[in-house]
C-alpha cells in the first residue's frame, strides 16, 4: 500500500481539522500533530489533536521519529546551513525568526516519513525540496494532491 502524510501547512491551509475517520493510505506524523497541538486555538481543538494522536497510534498509523530520524534530521540541517554558506560566499545569513525551528521540524517530519516510505503532501514546496535533496523523501504538491 502507498502511504502518505500531511505536512502541518496542508492541515492548516486545507482546514483538515477532523481526520478521525481513516483515509486509505493516510498515516499521520506526530511532528505535525505536535505543531497543531501547540498552536491550537482553544482547549477543545487541543483535545481533537490529542484524540487523533491516540487513534492513529492505536491503529499503527502514527509516524513517530526514532533515534536515527533525529540524527539524520540534524545532519540535513547541518548540510543545509553549509550549502547556504557556500552559496552566499562564505557568509551565513541569519534566517527569519522561527525559520530554523520550522526547518528542523520539517526535516524531522521528512526523514521519519521516508522511513515509513510515505510521501509528504505539502504546501511548503521549497522547504521540502531542499530537504529532499539530502534524504530522497517522496513529495507531493498539495495543489496536485487535492485536484
Amino acid at each position: 500500500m502507498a502511504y502518505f502524510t500531511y505536512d502541518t501547512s496542508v492541515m492548516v491551509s486545507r482546514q483538515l481539522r477532523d481526520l478521525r475517520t481513516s483515509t486509505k493510505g493516510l498515516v499521520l506524523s506526530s511532528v505535525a500533530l505536535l505543531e497543531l497541538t501547540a498552536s491550537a486555538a482553544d482547549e477543545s481543538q487541543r483535545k481533537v489533536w490529542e484524540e487523533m494522536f491516540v487513534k492513529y497510534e492505536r491503529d499503527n498509523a502514527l509516524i513517530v521519529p526514532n533515534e536515527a530520524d533525529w540524527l539524520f534530521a540534524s545532519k540535513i540541517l547541518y548540510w543545509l546551513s553549509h550549502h547556504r554558506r557556500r552559496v552566499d560566499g562564505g557568509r551565513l545569513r541569519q534566517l527569519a525568526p522561527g525559520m530554523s525551528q520550522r526547518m528542523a521540524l520539517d526535516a524531522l517530519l521528512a526523514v521519519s516519513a521516508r522511513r515509513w516510505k510515505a510521501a509528504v503532501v505539502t504546501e511548503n514546496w521549497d522547504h521540502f525540496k531542499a530537504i529532499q535533496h539530502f534524504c530522497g523523501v517522496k513529495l507531493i504538491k498539495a495543489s496536485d494532491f487535492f485536484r
Side-chain angles (χ1 to χ4, degrees):
M1 172 185 294
Y3 293 113
F4 68 93
T5 191
Y6 297 127
D7 173 35
T8 310
S9 65
V10 171
M11 296 174 77
V12 170
S13 70
R14 303 286 172 158
Q15 299 182 355
L16 302 176
R17 292 193 177 97
D18 192 354
L19 298 170
R20 288 175 280 193
T21 56
S22 296
T23 300
K24 186 174 179 165
L26 173 63
V27 287
L28 282 187
S29 170
S30 61
V31 176
L33 288 173
L34 171 139
E35 292 181 280
L36 292 165
T37 301
S39 64
D42 55 34
E43 186 69 13
S44 66
Q45 187 61 57
R46 185 201 59 78
K47 287 180 180 179
V48 168
W49 299 129
E50 187 175 325
E51 288 169 15
M52 287 175 44
F53 186 100
V54 170
K55 180 214 181 302
Y56 278 80
E57 182 181 40
R58 185 181 54 242
D59 294 345
N60 196 32
L62 184 68
I63 301 173
V64 179
N66 65 18
E67 297 88 348
D69 296 332
W70 282 93
L71 180 59
F72 195 18
S74 67
K75 288 179 184 179
I76 290 170
L77 295 170
Y78 170 84
W79 294 327
L80 286 169
S81 68
H82 279 73
H83 176 74
R84 280 191 5 259
R85 183 183 305 261
R86 198 169 38 254
V87 167
D88 284 346
R91 283 189 31 242
L92 188 58
R93 281 181 294 114
Q94 188 169 8
L95 296 173
M99 182 58 74
S100 61
Q101 293 87 346
R102 286 192 297 275
M103 286 300 289
L105 292 171
D106 287 347
L108 192 56
L109 188 150
V111 298
S112 56
R114 175 182 173 263
R115 181 172 41 85
W116 274 65
K117 297 177 177 57
V120 176
V121 180
T122 184
E123 302 274 2
N124 291 333
W125 189 253
D126 292 339
H127 290 184
F128 279 93
K129 280 305 279 186
I131 293 165
Q132 182 189 45
H133 176 77
F134 298 105
C135 76
V137 65
K138 183 176 181 192
L139 301 177
I140 303 170
K141 286 184 178 180
S143 58
D144 295 337
F145 186 81
F146 290 103
R147 271 188 207 181

